[in-house]
Amino acid sequence: MTAFLTLEIRQGAGHEAVAEHLATIPEVLEAHTITGAGDMWARVVARSNADLQRVIDQVLADPGIERSTTVIALAAQIDHRVLPLARTAAGLSQS
């Protein structure tokens, strides 16, 4: 399963320290600092709901993270892709 975590980082903790912690967790596929509600967004994977709880607990073990909100993905409507963008940038057709 795939889930998206919005993380709120304790003031003064720093995004870099949290990112270093997240990088030690294999199930964290990517992380981005963001604007809006929350400070950092992470895409994670897990084998089940129970395993997702384990991953979330690992993420929250960092004292720099105050809280998180989790959204579970139900289905992928468009999988990760870069080829259409590369073709457009190169001026090639989409076919």
Side-chain angles (χ1 to χ4, degrees):
M1 67 185 334
T2 299
F4 303 94
L5 280 59
T6 302
L7 307 175
E8 294 179 23
I9 299 181
R10 183 177 50 81
Q11 296 298 309
H15 291 83
E16 295 301 322
V18 171
E20 288 175 15
H21 167 70
L22 295 177
T24 68
I25 304 169
E27 293 85 357
V28 175
L29 302 182
E30 59 185 294
H32 305 267
T33 53
I34 59 171
T35 61
D39 301 303
M40 188 175 287
W41 174 86
R43 181 166 61 109
V44 303
V45 292
R47 294 180 290 277
S48 64
N49 285 346
D51 191 45
L52 177 58
Q53 184 62 62
R54 178 191 61 79
V55 173
I56 293 169
D57 290 344
Q58 274 190 282
V59 168
L60 294 177
D62 188 296
I65 300 173
E66 289 189 336
R67 76 180 253 104
S68 72
T69 304
T70 303
V71 177
I72 296 173
L74 298 177
Q77 301 302 318
I78 299 173
D79 284 321
H80 180 78
R81 62 189 187 148
V82 295
L83 194 53
L85 178 62
R87 285 184 176 152
T88 298
L92 302 175
S93 70
Q94 293 293 319
S95 53

